[in-house]
């Protein structure tokens, strides 16, 4: 018996947004409608839309002229875990959680969706893996500025974030130099140092601190003081939000209990700023770049990569190779099971060529 042709797909963007999401939505919708005669349903706000049954058909017009736009036309959310969804409060004010996956299954069946394209990071892939276990075919498309998804050499959004971070580091470099200050810039990336390493390397940051290499305050202060003595009277420090001292913890900005990933990092730049200032007497300032790294129009490389990934995803729909996530491995677009990337993070290997290159130009890596 031959399998029934896919007639309708759903598409959602989950987790933190990143530049390039619209390029995926565009190619998936265009190729589905024009090449395969498949209807496309846009799911609003990631898993929220599936839970609350908020979805709408996507037309060719809806996806026209969106490749240059940052964000996602579908909306997204990183605080909706269907297997542990906040449904209200009990009499004591404590949040009540429920597994609402069955509700999603009903909505997907009611809408006659044959397969879901889930564009997201490890949290979204964990959600997709859960749906697969409940009989909903899914295809994953990896996105994240953090570049930390397992089994893919790169995710779209990363290059734009690195460009934005580098532009900001360049600007801070010039004011650091005028005022002879130690300037500390905190960059995103969760538990991975890819953004900080790439942007630090690209801008000639003097100190680059990433979560994978716990830093010693002695080493960082020595770099600042030595530079100052040698007449380079400023130091540019790029620090990843997830970096930590050899003898310390990560700095947590806030906890979001309803989220699949409840820990929001942030604030290490301020901690480091005070420590360096107290220890060295040098004038020190901190900047936390924050969400500026997630916004804006995608650079050309991210638009192209996102289009490549989205095209591969729709090809997998056509060949019914469900429950896989598209990845880039050694320059080739291929796929691996969604289950194999769910809930995992790809950190910077200590022998990564970027680390070696940073050391080669004399960057202090904090160790
Ligand atoms: O995963 C992308 C990311 O921007 C991380 O780099 C950062 O730690 C996190 O999301 C911030 O999340 P939120 O937008 O919920 O503050």
């Amino acid at each position: 018996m031959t399998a029934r042709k896919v007639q309708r797909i759903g598409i959602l963007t989950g987790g933190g947004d990143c530049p390039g999401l619209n390029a995926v939505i565009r190619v998936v919708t265009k190729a589905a409608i024009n090449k395969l005669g498949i209807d496309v349903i846009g799911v609003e706000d990631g898993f929220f839309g599936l839970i609350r049954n908020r979805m709408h058909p996507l037309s060719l017009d809806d996806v026209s002229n969106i490749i240059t736009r940052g964000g996602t036309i579908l909306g997204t959310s990183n605080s909706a875990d269907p297997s542990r969804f906040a449904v209200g409060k009990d009499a004591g004010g404590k949040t009540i959680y429920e597994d609402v996956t069955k509700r999603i299954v009903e909505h997907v069946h009611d809408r006659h969706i044959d397969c879901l394209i889930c564009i997201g990071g490890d949290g979204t892939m964990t959600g997709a893996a859960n749906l697969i276990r409940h009989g909903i075919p899914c295809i994953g498309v990896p996105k994240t500025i953090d570049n930390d998804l397992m089994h893919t050499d790169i995710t779209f959004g990363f290059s734009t974030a690195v460009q934005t971070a580098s532009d900001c580091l360049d600007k801070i470099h010039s004011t650091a130099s005028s005022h002879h200050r130690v300037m500390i810039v905190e960059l995103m990336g969760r538990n991975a140092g890819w953004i900080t390493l790439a942007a630090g390397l690209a801008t000639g940051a003097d100190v680059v601190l990433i979560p994978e290499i716990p830093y010693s305050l002695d080493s960082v202060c020595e770099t600042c003081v030595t530079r100052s003595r040698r007449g380079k009277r400023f130091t540019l420090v790029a620090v990843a939000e997830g970096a930590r001292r050899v003898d310390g913890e990560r700095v947590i900005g806030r906890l979001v209990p309803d989220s699949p990933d409840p820990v929001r990092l942030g604030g290490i730049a301020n901690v480091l700023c005070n420590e360096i200032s107290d220890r060295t007497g040098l004038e020190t300032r901190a900047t936390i770049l924050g969400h500026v790294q997630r916004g804006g129009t995608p650079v050309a490389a991210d638009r192209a990569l996102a289009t490549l990934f989205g095209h591969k995803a729709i090809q997998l729909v056509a060949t019914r190779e469900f429950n896989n996530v598209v990845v880039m491995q050694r320059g080739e677009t291929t796929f691996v099971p969604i289950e194999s990337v769910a809930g995992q993070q790809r950190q910077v290997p200590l022998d990564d060529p970027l680390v070696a290159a940073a050391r080669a130009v004399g960057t202090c890596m904090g160790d």
Side-chain angles (χ1 to χ4, degrees):
M1 195 179 82
T2 50
R4 196 175 70 88
K5 180 181 169 292
V6 172
Q7 292 179 337
R8 179 174 291 170
I9 58 172
I11 182 165
L12 67 83
T13 49
D17 69 344
C18 80
L21 290 167
N22 287 327
V24 181
I25 298 167
R26 172 176 173 267
V27 66
V28 165
T29 306
K30 285 191 173 207
I33 295 174
N34 288 335
K35 305 272 180 218
L36 302 172
I38 292 175
D39 292 340
V40 184
I41 303 291
V43 180
E44 296 166 25
D45 302 333
F47 289 119
F48 264 124
L50 289 177
I51 295 166
R52 303 221 163 105
N53 204 5
R54 287 205 321 255
M55 317 179 200
H56 59 268
L58 284 180
S59 68
L60 293 174
D61 273 354
D62 291 325
V63 299
S64 170
N65 226 353
I66 63 169
I67 193 165
T68 56
R69 273 167 64 181
T72 158
I73 60 163
L74 293 174
T76 187
S77 159
N78 59 0
S79 58
D81 176 0
S83 63
R84 190 176 169 274
F85 189 63
V87 290
K89 304 253 183 217
D90 67 14
K94 266 182 77 183
T95 307
I96 305 166
Y97 295 99
E98 260 178 33
D99 184 343
V100 294
T101 312
K102 288 211 172 95
R103 209 194 288 177
I104 291 184
V105 174
E106 275 169 33
H107 295 155
V108 167
H109 286 161
D110 287 351
R111 300 241 183 199
H112 304 290
I113 292 172
D114 299 313
C115 169
L116 271 177
I117 308 259
C118 300
I119 314 169
D122 63 292
T124 304
M125 295 311 146
T126 305
N130 175 40
L131 297 183
I132 292 166
R133 285 192 291 277
H134 284 77
I136 299 180
C138 294
I139 305 282
V141 180
K143 70 81 227 184
T144 165
I145 61 163
D146 303 337
N147 200 29
D148 64 349
L149 208 87
M150 273 317 244
H151 302 308
T152 186
D153 297 341
I154 190 156
T155 53
F156 64 85
F158 172 65
S159 298
T160 306
V162 169
Q163 188 60 55
T164 302
S166 299
D167 291 344
C168 295
L169 279 161
D170 284 346
K171 289 181 203 295
I172 288 181
H173 197 163
S174 68
T175 172
S177 158
S178 316
H179 283 269
H180 319 299
R181 286 172 171 163
V182 176
M183 296 296 262
I184 301 153
V185 184
E186 178 178 314
L187 304 170
M188 279 186 166
R190 278 197 308 177
N191 304 313
W194 294 107
I195 297 176
T196 305
L197 184 56
L201 201 62
T203 56
D206 309 297
V207 180
V208 170
L209 305 177
I210 60 175
E212 295 82 351
I213 306 177
Y215 67 88
S216 113
L217 191 58
D218 289 345
S219 160
V220 174
C221 289
E222 194 186 309
T223 300
C224 301
V225 170
T226 307
R227 283 180 55 78
S228 177
R229 282 206 197 109
R230 288 196 186 139
K232 295 254 189 184
R233 294 167 60 207
F234 71 93
T235 301
L236 185 61
V237 180
V239 59
E241 61 181 357
R244 61 183 171 86
R245 263 166 60 171
V246 266
D247 53 353
E249 294 295 319
R250 296 176 309 167
V251 178
I252 293 173
R254 71 194 162 96
L255 291 170
V256 186
D258 297 348
S259 172
D261 182 5
V263 176
R264 295 288 181 276
L265 297 167
I268 187 157
N270 293 326
V271 173
L272 200 54
C273 180
N274 291 335
E275 287 175 339
I276 295 175
S277 169
D278 291 348
R279 179 80 71 98
T280 64
L282 294 169
E283 199 180 356
T284 311
R285 295 286 188 276
T287 305
I288 300 177
L289 284 194
H291 291 81
V292 70
Q293 295 159 95
R294 289 231 302 257
T297 185
V299 297
D302 275 338
R303 296 179 205 178
L305 182 63
T307 304
L308 209 58
F309 277 4
H311 183 220
K312 185 70 180 178
I314 198 69
Q315 286 176 321
L316 294 180
V317 170
T319 53
R320 300 182 64 88
E321 288 172 275
F322 301 131
N323 307 337
N324 290 302
V325 55
V326 176
V327 291
M328 174 71 78
Q329 292 179 343
R330 287 172 290 282
E332 208 176 303
T333 316
T334 176
F335 57 90
V336 297
I338 286 181
E339 195 72 54
S340 71
V341 305
Q344 298 192 58
Q345 289 166 15
R346 185 178 73 98
Q347 289 194 297
V348 177
L350 295 184
D351 60 354
D352 192 89
L354 289 175
V355 175
R359 293 195 196 278
V361 292
T363 309
C364 165
M365 298 297 297
D367 52 352

